[in-house]
Amino acid sequence: MPPLLTQVARISDGLPLVASQTPSPGTPLTNQHQKEAKDILRKITTGTPTKMSITSGDMVFYYMTRDSLCFLTLAEARYPKRLAFLYLDEVCDMILSELVKEFDNNWRAEVDKTARPFAFIHYDPIIQRKQREFQDERQQRSKLNDDLSEIQSIMKKNINDLLDRGEKLDNVQNISQDLLKQSSGFKWGARKLTWQARLQQAAPIIAGISIVGFVIYVKFFW
């Protein structure tokens, strides 16, 4: 069963911009569902979580926010959570792509100045096509497998990065130990040179004192 209700709204005030419904004979959409969807969209702000699921009886609302817009869908409780968010993510990409295509970089201004609800209802066919994609069980499994494969690839990359970072840290540690040993050698060498310089400076004085002492000894005690 695909998502039954999909809405895109403005986060600042919850104004619905586009909505699409795919009611099922076994699970019809009710006025209560519509009211709950409206209440959820009005409560979402820029400070709320960017992604969340909200249970309503045997149904679940899923929403995600991106670029000052909120994307919300309603599905049966048995519908896979990962698939619901994957559906919202793809709807989000398509709607944002259409906004950029229609209004270029001014799409945010167009969204902000819109005062009429469902002003972008002409995007409904786009959502309908995406809903049909998620209705086929084989495509659902394929999308989940692709999503899991992508997650695994990201995890492998992160693990490899951590391993490389660990090797680099080991190299840094080895280098630091070598530097400590070298610095100890430099310190001993510096001390040795300092003593040699002092001896060289004191040598004439010591020699002079020794000669005077020798002369005195010969003159008075020899």
Side-chain angles (χ1 to χ4, degrees):
M1 181 66 63
L4 305 174
L5 169 70
T6 305
Q7 291 192 10
V8 182
R10 191 167 56 194
I11 292 180
S12 60
D13 55 4
L15 179 73
L17 304 175
V18 57
S20 182
Q21 299 182 14
T22 310
S24 171
T27 53
L29 288 172
T30 64
N31 291 333
Q32 182 63 24
H33 292 144
Q34 299 283 3
K35 180 179 182 301
E36 289 179 354
K38 186 182 296 184
D39 291 341
I40 291 172
L41 291 173
R42 285 178 176 173
K43 291 177 181 178
I44 294 173
T45 65
T46 53
T48 55
T50 58
K51 184 183 293 185
M52 182 176 285
S53 59
I54 303 170
T55 303
S56 175
D58 57 351
M59 308 290 283
V60 180
F61 285 96
Y62 300 91
Y63 81 79
M64 64 182 298
T65 59
R66 193 192 302 176
D67 282 329
S68 74
L69 298 178
C70 179
F71 301 83
L72 178 139
T73 192
L74 175 68
E76 292 180 297
R78 59 190 176 125
Y79 194 76
K81 181 178 181 179
R82 184 183 298 277
L83 200 60
F85 281 119
L86 183 61
Y87 165 76
L88 282 178
D89 196 46
E90 293 191 12
V91 169
C92 175
D93 290 340
M94 294 182 67
I95 294 298
L96 291 176
S97 177
E98 288 297 319
L99 285 169
V100 172
K101 188 185 300 181
E102 184 174 357
F103 302 106
D104 200 35
N105 293 329
N106 297 322
W107 71 266
R108 290 182 179 84
E110 292 292 331
V111 169
D112 290 340
K113 73 180 184 182
T114 298
R116 178 172 55 88
F118 306 108
F120 299 90
I121 196 64
H122 54 286
Y123 292 162
D124 174 53
I126 299 171
I127 299 177
Q128 291 282 352
R129 288 197 301 272
K130 187 57 64 176
Q131 284 178 330
R132 286 194 293 271
E133 288 182 18
F134 279 76
Q135 186 174 6
D136 187 277
E137 292 185 2
R138 288 176 299 179
Q139 289 194 6
Q140 290 179 10
R141 287 195 296 269
S142 176
K143 287 181 178 294
L144 281 175
N145 290 334
D146 291 343
D147 188 46
L148 289 173
S149 297
E150 184 178 356
I151 292 173
Q152 288 176 350
S153 298
I154 293 172
M155 289 179 65
K156 287 180 181 178
K157 183 179 183 302
N158 290 337
I159 291 172
N160 290 331
D161 290 344
L162 286 173
L163 291 174
D164 291 341
R165 193 177 304 167
E167 291 179 359
K168 291 178 181 178
L169 287 175
D170 290 340
N171 291 334
V172 170
Q173 186 176 3
N174 292 333
I175 292 172
S176 63
Q177 290 176 351
D178 291 340
L179 288 175
L180 284 173
K181 291 179 181 178
Q182 292 178 11
S183 64
S184 299
F186 290 150
K187 188 180 294 184
W188 166 246
R191 288 177 179 174
K192 186 176 180 181
L193 290 174
T194 301
W195 280 107
Q196 288 178 350
R198 290 177 178 176
L199 286 174
Q200 289 177 356
Q201 291 176 354
I205 298 175
I206 295 172
I209 293 174
S210 299
I211 294 170
V212 171
F214 180 74
V215 170
I216 294 173
Y217 176 77
V218 170
K219 185 174 183 180
F220 294 99
F221 300 100
W222 188 260

